[in-house]
Amino acid sequence: PQAARALLGYGLALSKTEGYRAALTPWLELTELRPVSPAVQESFLAVSYAYEQLDKLPKARAALKRADILLTNEVASIGTLSRRIADGGLGSVFTTGMTAGANVPWHHLIDVLSGPRFQHYRQVQQSQRNLRRELEVRQERMAIYRDLLESRQQRWTGRQRDSQLRALARRLAQLRRDKNTLADTLEQARRDGAWLAFAEAETQLQWERLRSAEQRMVLLAEQGLETAEDAERLERVRGTLMWEGTESARRWFEATERSLAELERTIAEADLHYAGLQDGINQQEKQLDQALARLSPMERRVARQLQALDQYEREADESFREYVLEELTAQKSRLKRYHARIRVARARLLDEATL
């Protein structure tokens, strides 16, 4: 946007010092860009006015006709994108955009997805995922603890007791296998060091979009339509994604190490419970009843926290979706205003041509 404003201002300065013929050079360059910036939209009118001052009315009419078509298409594309987001949310747009042959006007979302509001939304999402992971670990631990308590609470005699002990032994063996699998995964990940494999799904999605954008940039370069602004923006997005991917890998390693430590603690606790079962199940019924009474409210509290988190996530998604729709509506309104000005100017020139 700053480069576009600079080109517009440069053309204005040239019009006052060297004339409108010189001003056409930066203004025509602007008209080749996507008409999402106010400076690009203003350049359509500036080019037409310059041609008028140079007494080149056919070119002025042709420039306005092209601008009319471009802005008509842009207004329609924003409308289509807004309807997709309103009907299915941002996720449906991303999913559609990854489909072969999908026509998603990503350029309308560039400013939104690179702005501070989106970065805050991403941070909130990450915090929510971390909190959910912590709550689910607690829930799993309480479920294991409840299984152990309820199994102890039974009056085990003979074959029933042996059967329950064997089931618990199988559970411990499964936990140990899970631990070994997780440890192997962590070690393999450290050896590979491929950061993108550990990035969040959204970061991977943005990375794939970046690759698509780079391919389109190559095509634009071959057609001579590549701009320094687009290249600079792609480079910024690439740097951001590289940083986010590295951060994702770091968080993944930390979370996996925590999970591994959690499994080790769970196995150690399960081993202690297993030994306790063998030593004195029949003497612990009263203590087990008390432990179950304490566990029930904790389980209900964690369940309520997960429900509250679900609600908060839905509200956060809805809030950001409404923000994106508001931004698209503002873009559409601005385009319509310029579109109306262009049509008025075009009608004026056509009227003058018929006189």
Side-chain angles (χ1 to χ4, degrees), residues 44-165:
F44 292 127
L45 293 167
V47 166
S48 172
Y49 181 76
Y51 279 135
E52 280 190 74
Q53 298 306 306
L54 295 172
D55 200 23
K56 295 182 178 181
L57 297 182
K59 287 191 174 183
R61 288 192 291 270
L64 289 175
K65 180 180 179 181
R66 176 175 176 270
D68 190 359
I69 295 172
L70 285 175
L71 292 186
T72 298
N73 293 337
E74 289 299 319
V75 169
S77 70
I78 290 181
T80 301
L81 181 60
S82 297
R83 286 191 295 273
R84 287 182 182 176
I85 295 174
D87 294 340
L90 286 172
S92 65
V93 174
F94 292 145
T95 302
T96 303
M98 297 305 295
T99 304
N103 184 20
V104 176
W106 294 114
H107 56 280
H108 292 302
L109 294 174
I110 288 177
D111 289 340
V112 174
L113 297 181
S114 60
R117 180 74 177 266
F118 179 68
Q119 300 306 318
H120 174 71
Y121 174 68
R122 288 288 312 283
Q123 292 172 359
V124 169
Q125 278 192 321
Q126 183 60 44
S127 299
Q128 290 170 345
R129 283 193 290 268
N130 292 339
L131 179 57
R132 178 177 294 280
R133 185 160 49 240
E134 180 181 346
L135 290 174
E136 288 175 347
V137 167
R138 290 182 186 177
Q139 197 173 49
E140 175 64 19
R141 291 186 64 186
M142 287 189 288
I144 294 174
Y145 190 45
R146 173 173 286 280
D147 288 345
L148 293 171
L149 292 177
E150 290 177 349
S151 65
R152 285 186 184 183
Q153 199 176 40
Q154 299 178 15
R155 297 179 180 275
W156 291 347
T157 57
R159 180 177 300 175
Q160 182 183 9
R161 174 173 175 162
D162 293 340
S163 174
Q164 294 291 340
L165 288 172

Side-chain angles (χ1 to χ4, degrees), residues 42 87 154 173 193 286 289 325 332:
E42 191 68 39
D87 294 340
Q154 299 178 15
K286 183 178 180 179
D289 289 338
L325 287 175
K332 187 175 181 180

